[in-house]
Amino acid sequence: MITFKDVSFCYPSYGREPKKVLFDVSFSIPDGSFVGIAGNMGSGKTTLCKLMSGLLKPSSGQIERSKSVSFAMQFPESQLFESTVIKDVMFGPMNRGLSEKEARMISEECLVSMGLGKDFFDRNPLRLSGGEKRRVALAGILSMDADTIILDEPCAGLDPKWHDRLLEILHGLNEKGKTVIIVSHNIDDIARNCRTLLYLKDSKLADMGKAKDVICRHEELETSSMAFAKRLTDAGFKIDFKKAVTTEDLASLIADRQSSL
Ligand SMILES: Nc1ncnc2c1ncn2[C@@H]1O[C@H](COP(=O)(O)OP(=O)(O)OP(=O)(O)O)[C@@H](O)[C@H]1O
Ligand SMILES: [Mg+2]
């Protein structure tokens, strides 16, 4: 469980008026949730992740975490620092006290799950492609085996195959009981994958609830199916676009309409 109670946060401003980037945020995320965080650029999503993971301390209010948390930063590839891929991924498990043998075994498994086989283990992580670096960094996050995994825009920069594969991996972890929290600008991804959505607007938690319900309540959170349903309505094929959150929702609305004709 992660609980925020009236949490506010200001970045230090060194002489100028402190910049408050989160105001009075309160929520609870139960264990085993699959949560999305959405909001415009600069709305405070990354700051919220850093507070949830303990990288930042709140300026006021309380944060409680009952379990271990690992956090994949917005550009996780910038977290790579070891001389080889395998050493980089082993850093987390070694740090939590596993033997070298155990750490290696887990790290190899995580790398393979991210499509990086033996050939990659001894390569310098800095001499990989952008997508490969990102997958090494994500393998490093998975190897920590934390109870809660927070990922800040994890799919940005991945090709469609790895985009889908990563979400599949996250669902697998969630089915095993882990709490998964992802930040995304892609509302389609959130609608398809997250049960709960936290929506940040103007540095405040503007809404939180069942992902589809939150999406319906805010015009800015339109999915591509909702946009398409609007175009169909404009073209004379009337559909309640607010109910067309996912492609599946749209398909069943079209089927219902056809059968009622
Ligand atoms: N280290 C910092 N010092 C001062 N201000 C910061 C710092 N980091 C972020 N900010 C400011 O805090 C606000 C929230 O930033 P944050 O990175 O949390 O937004 P975000 O929602 O993650 O944006 P994006 O979608 O662009 O990643 C922004 O106005 C930003 O300029
Ligand atoms: Mg961010």
Side-chain angles (χ1 to χ4, degrees):
M1 176 85 95
I2 298 181
T3 306
F4 274 46
K5 196 161 175 273
D6 301 324
V7 170
S8 295
F9 182 80
C10 299
Y11 282 105
S13 58
Y14 310 107
R16 280 170 287 121
E17 183 78 1
K19 188 173 163 45
K20 208 168 189 182
V21 295
L22 283 176
F23 292 86
D24 294 336
V25 174
S26 297
F27 62 83
S28 246
I29 297 177
D31 293 338
S33 303
F34 200 127
V35 180
I37 301 175
N40 289 342
M41 288 165 78
S43 57
K45 303 178 298 298
T46 296
T47 307
L48 183 71
C49 291
K50 289 181 176 169
L51 287 162
M52 285 196 286
S53 62
L55 275 184
L56 292 175
K57 300 273 167 262
S59 310
S60 63
Q62 288 97 42
I63 299 176
E64 280 169 28
R65 256 173 250 103
S66 58
K67 302 224 169 154
S68 60
V69 175
S70 67
F71 172 42
M73 291 183 169
Q74 191 159 0
F75 303 102
E77 51 276 24
S78 63
Q79 289 173 274
L80 303 175
F81 59 94
E82 288 280 7
S83 56
T84 65
V85 164
I86 190 75
K87 278 192 199 162
D88 213 292
V89 179
M90 281 169 69
F91 180 83
M94 295 279 286
N95 220 22
R96 68 184 163 88
L98 296 194
S99 70
E100 192 169 339
K101 196 173 159 208
E102 287 169 315
R104 177 171 277 271
M105 212 169 71
I106 288 177
S107 302
E108 289 186 359
E109 249 173 52
C110 293
L111 280 164
V112 169
S113 78
M114 294 304 298
L116 299 167
K118 262 199 183 100
D119 293 352
F120 281 90
F121 295 173
D122 294 316
R123 286 182 62 180
N124 181 333
L126 302 179
R127 294 205 195 114
L128 298 174
S129 79
E132 288 162 353
K133 279 185 196 162
R134 176 155 287 227
R135 285 188 276 140
V136 172
L138 292 170
I141 298 297
L142 301 182
S143 73
M144 315 253 277
D145 196 30
D147 302 299
T148 300
I149 305 164
I150 304 173
L151 305 105
D152 196 352
E153 301 194 33
C155 295
L158 293 181
D159 66 25
K161 178 186 145 202
W162 277 101
H163 167 277
D164 292 353
R165 178 81 189 106
L166 178 62
L167 286 166
E168 219 177 87
I169 290 171
L170 296 178
H171 275 291
L173 294 170
N174 184 241
E175 274 156 26
K176 285 187 197 148
K178 307 239 183 237
T179 305
V180 177
I181 303 173
I182 58 170
V183 171
S184 183
H185 283 287
N186 185 333
I187 307 302
D188 289 354
D189 273 353
I190 290 183
R192 252 198 310 269
N193 297 288
C194 302
R195 291 191 290 277
T196 307
L197 173 57
L198 269 74
Y199 175 43
L200 294 181
K201 192 174 176 182
D202 303 328
S203 308
K204 295 197 179 89
L205 180 60
D207 203 354
M208 178 183 182
K210 210 173 142 207
K212 280 191 181 182
D213 296 344
V214 176
I215 289 170
C216 288
R217 288 196 283 266
H218 303 271
E219 220 175 302
E220 312 85 287
L221 298 178
E222 186 175 84
T223 62
S224 55
S225 302
M226 289 161 91
F228 186 60
K230 261 188 192 167
R231 288 211 298 278
L232 285 177
T233 301
D234 290 345
F237 191 92
K238 246 180 164 254
I239 285 194
D240 184 355
F241 71 90
K242 284 201 170 182
K243 291 190 181 151
V245 177
T246 62
T247 314
E248 290 73 19
D249 296 336
L250 177 60
S252 71
L253 286 168
I254 292 174
D256 288 351
R257 237 204 78 156
Q258 293 295 73
S259 61
S260 68
L261 286 179

